[in-house]
Amino acid sequence: MKRKRYISVLAVMSVMTALGGCGMQNNFVEEQPKNMTIGISVYDQYDTFISELMSQFQSYVKEKEKDWGISITLEIQNAEQNQLVQNSQLDSFIEDGVDIACINLVDRTDASSIIEKAKTSDVPVIFFNRELVKEDLERWDKLYYVGADAYESGKLQGDILVNECETNFDKIDRNHDGVLQYVMLEGEASHNDSLIRSMTVIQEITENGYTVEKLSDEIANWNRDQAANKMKQFLEEFGNSIEVVLANNDDMALGAIDALKTAGMENSSENWPAVLGIDGTTVGLEAVEKGEMLGTVLNDARGQASGMLELAYSLTMGTKLPKKYQLIDDKYIRMPYKIATKENLGEIQVEQTK
């Protein structure tokens, strides 16, 4: 019996040696895949920031295909602001055998169907830009979020106004009553970023010693046209009493500017309120450069796009994430916001082209 066992071992060793001689020894080590397929569903492809984020994502994919020596296939779908449509899009991704899904939720409070489908099929999900409820993200260890801290964006928007008031308070406070009269254009009623931005911007202004008076606020669903209509109503009711326009994103700030122009109001310190946005979109930064918008808060589209792709690659290939994108609580990648005003616009524009 001992002799037979010895012969068997020799036989196995001979086969392995022969395979090694044929240059096939690496077949005994699992090789990295040479391609990766990512399914992406966005809540609305016509959202300016989301459109820019996707453009950055596609550009970064082209860069990293060369660096990583792999082929990356993207399946990008528009959910058209319909959660049921988005749920079915994940079904299609799963049927197509994607390695990972990136989901920009239509309804941040209704992620259950996405999560259960992904869990059942063992397809990791990276949620991005529209942050889901924390408890939902913790329902499975292959769920992640890439975005930014909404609290920071509201605080920085407030800082833009505070900084301006410190040097040009009389320019902002046109009626010289010592109070900043403002209107606010908000995103969706239940959207996490909208709620937090609306709260923290006012908190930041008042904590820095300035008194504010809310004339009105309206939900404009991140949309430029809706914001223009809301601003038109504000102007009809309050006219030149409006000293500050606080918008939850650049598109709504631009909608307010559209309404000001339509009303025939000249862009001057005498009758043009201070307009502030958030996102730092291309058109938003152009409005800052023209002096139509006092400032915006840069939401790093390229940083979020690169973070999403780096995480997708790490999860699919089993590699370590670069230090720049280390996960917070094993779940989150958050990119910092940055103030964008005329004073640092050149620096911002240079960074955006890198």
Side-chain angles (χ1 to χ4, degrees), residues 43-44 47 81 130 185-190 194 218-224 226-227 230 249 251-252:
Y43 96 100
D44 181 0
D47 180 291
Q81 300 190 39
R130 294 163 71 89
L185 293 164
E186 301 182 56
E188 299 160 63
S190 62
S194 180
E218 290 285 350
I219 291 171
N221 294 302
W222 313 111
N223 184 275
R224 183 169 180 165
Q226 289 187 37
K230 300 296 183 183
N249 77 339
D251 269 7
M252 293 189 293

Side-chain angles (χ1 to χ4, degrees), residues 166-182:
E166 286 176 353
T167 56
N168 295 302
F169 185 73
D170 286 343
K171 176 182 174 183
I172 304 295
D173 180 31
R174 294 178 314 202
N175 63 6
H176 307 298
D177 65 350
V179 178
L180 299 173
Q181 279 80 24
Y182 75 93

Side-chain angles (χ1 to χ4, degrees), residues 11 14 39 58 79 82-83 129 132 152 159 165-166 194 211 219 229 232 238 244 252 273 296 309 312 336 343 353:
S14 298
Q58 290 168 301
N82 187 318
Q83 189 59 58
N129 180 255
L132 68 166
E152 183 184 18
D159 285 341
C165 286
E166 286 176 353
S194 180
T211 303
I219 291 171
N229 288 329
K232 179 185 175 188
F238 304 108
V244 179
M252 293 189 293
T296 182
L309 186 60
E343 283 67 31
T353 57

